[in-house]
Amino acid sequence: MDYQIVIDDFIGDWWLGTDKQSVRQQLTELKDKHVDVKISSLGGSLDDALDIRQQFVDHGDVSAYLYGFVASAATVVAMGAKHIAMGKYALFLVHQCSNFVCESGQMNASELQALIDRMQKNKEENEKIDSVLAAMYAARCKKHSQAELLDLLKESRWLTAQEALEWGFVDEILDDDNDAPNMTNALAKKFNAAGFPAPGLAPQPDNASRLKHFLDSLKALFSDNKPAADDFHSPNSVTMNDKFTSLAGLLNVQAIAMTDGSAKLTAEQLQTVEDRLNELSSQASADAATIDNLKQHNAELLQQVKNLQKGPADVTATVDEADPDNRSLNSKQLYNTIKDLI
């Protein structure tokens, strides 16, 4: 099928063309035309997703085709389409919103209360966003209320195409799914970095048997014997590294997220690092020039000292030691001398 727009990576990346500005440009070029959009993404920026959803609504004639793993912000984008079709082997995930929180260190009672107040405000703001998302999904899933959708968000579980259809998220299931998702190690890392549960599929190497393994795992996923809760976790782990404090400060984040020893930065963050490196390089060049000038001035002063050392010395007046006979008399001697004169 010929798709006019493809969203198959992090939503909100201008370099990938998945941010709201890039999609707006594409839709502008497709004004008054039918648009088919392919979506296969683990999500990304909610800000961009909400904006793109509205762009699809405003355009009017947009059909979305969901393949592979469609999660988080990607589901928000899809809600703006007039018609939504989902691949038979695709998986769909909606969940509560989340934001980065990192608090550590020793705190007294007042500091702990301030932290509790901040966390309470953060919780209330996230709950407000969850309420908006639930209302948006409920507008699509007319069979279910906002409260029911909010409960589904709290479950944070993957839905099969049939379940997504029953909920009302999609309008059609496509039998010919050429984009069945494969759980590779690289994709497992993305799941873990995004904080999503792996859908019961063990990471496999890239080889010819990958599709067979996926289909076998998928059959187990759809069967009555659901994987245990522990099976829904990726073997890879995300940690917050507190060593790179200078980099975290430059990027205005609390800490750097590390996945198996690797860190992923956005294009905007990389540009921030690049700008800072250029600034430091310019400062280093300026400092080098200053040092060269100081070295030259120091050399001139040293030469002046050498020239003074080679010149004749100034004449110094001789001071003779006082005559012992002319030493000052004490008070008794002075009295006796005057008395004799009298």
Side-chain angles (χ1 to χ4, degrees):
M1 184 171 181
D2 184 22
Y3 301 105
Q4 288 73 52
I5 298 177
V6 175
I7 299 177
D8 59 359
D9 212 307
F10 182 85
I11 294 174
D13 193 321
W14 65 270
W15 181 260
L16 298 172
T18 58
D19 64 320
K20 55 189 177 183
Q21 291 86 358
S22 299
V23 173
R24 182 175 295 108
Q25 178 61 38
Q26 295 177 71
L27 286 176
T28 299
E29 297 172 358
L30 297 168
K31 186 177 181 180
D32 299 327
K33 296 181 180 179
H34 174 74
V35 178
D36 290 317
V37 182
K38 177 183 177 181
I39 302 176
S40 179
S41 167
L42 293 178
S45 165
L46 180 58
D47 169 49
D48 287 88
L50 288 170
D51 190 281
I52 295 171
R53 171 198 167 276
Q54 188 60 47
Q55 290 183 46
F56 287 174
V57 172
D58 294 341
H59 187 89
D61 194 7
V62 176
S63 294
Y65 297 85
L66 314 184
Y67 294 104
F69 297 109
V70 182
S72 190
T75 66
V76 174
V77 169
M79 294 300 102
K82 185 176 182 180
H83 182 80
I84 304 176
M86 184 172 175
K88 182 177 180 179
Y89 303 118
L91 292 165
F92 191 93
L93 172 67
V94 293
H95 65 92
Q96 291 179 284
C97 74
S98 63
N99 62 279
F100 179 76
V101 176
C102 181
E103 295 286 346
S104 61
Q106 187 171 340
M107 301 182 189
N108 58 34
S110 297
E111 292 168 335
L112 284 172
Q113 186 58 55
L115 174 59
I116 292 172
D117 293 341
R118 292 198 303 273
M119 293 300 99
Q120 179 61 33
K121 182 179 180 182
N122 194 165
K123 174 178 176 291
E124 293 172 355
E125 291 174 345
N126 282 359
E127 288 175 340
K128 185 180 298 184
I129 296 174
D130 290 340
S131 178
V132 170
L133 291 175
M136 179 199 66
Y137 288 128
R140 184 88 193 191
C141 306
K142 295 180 173 57
K143 299 178 182 178
H144 298 276
S145 66
Q146 180 178 346
E148 291 175 309
L149 265 300
L150 188 57
D151 288 338
L152 182 63
L153 295 183
K154 294 177 181 179
E155 289 185 38
S156 187
R157 65 181 175 90
W158 290 95
L159 302 179
T160 64
Q162 183 59 42
E163 288 173 325
L165 180 65
E166 292 171 357
W167 271 91
F169 288 110
V170 302
D171 305 303
E172 175 188 4
I173 296 178
L174 303 174
D175 289 329
D176 184 15
D177 190 348
N178 295 321
D179 294 89
N182 295 309
M183 179 58 78
T184 62
N185 284 310
L187 188 56
K189 290 181 180 180
K190 287 188 177 182
F191 270 86
N192 191 259
F196 297 148
L201 306 177
Q204 295 295 308
D206 296 328
N207 53 47
S209 64
R210 206 169 46 177
L211 180 58
K212 182 179 183 302
H213 172 82
F214 166 76
L215 293 176
D216 292 340
S217 301
L218 199 58
K219 288 178 182 178
L221 180 65
F222 290 174
S223 68
D224 293 333
N225 299 321
K226 300 293 184 181
D230 289 342
D231 294 333
F232 284 82
H233 296 280
S234 167
N236 307 101
S237 61
V238 173
T239 59
M240 304 312 296
N241 196 306
D242 58 357
K243 294 182 179 179
F244 306 107
T245 55
S246 296
L247 179 59
L250 175 63
L251 299 178
N252 196 28
V253 296
Q254 294 288 342
I256 301 299
M258 305 291 291
T259 303
D260 290 346
S262 300
K264 180 179 179 180
L265 301 181
T266 66
E268 182 180 0
Q269 289 175 325
L270 288 173
Q271 187 61 52
T272 299
V273 174
E274 176 71 14
D275 292 342
R276 181 54 177 163
L277 289 175
N278 289 335
E279 180 182 342
L280 292 175
S281 178
S282 299
Q283 184 61 47
S285 298
D287 291 343
T290 300
I291 291 172
D292 288 340
N293 291 334
L294 291 175
K295 286 182 177 179
Q296 183 178 354
H297 182 61
N298 186 53
E300 292 174 354
L301 292 176
L302 289 175
Q303 187 60 46
Q304 290 180 21
V305 171
K306 290 179 180 180
N307 293 338
L308 290 173
Q309 289 175 339
K310 293 178 181 180
D314 291 338
V315 178
T316 301
T318 301
V319 179
D320 295 331
E321 187 177 354
D323 186 354
D325 296 333
N326 293 326
R327 293 175 181 172
S328 298
L329 299 175
N330 57 35
S331 58
K332 184 177 181 179
Q333 291 173 330
L334 181 60
Y335 169 76
N336 291 332
T337 299
I338 296 175
K339 184 181 69 172
D340 292 342
L341 292 174
I342 297 174

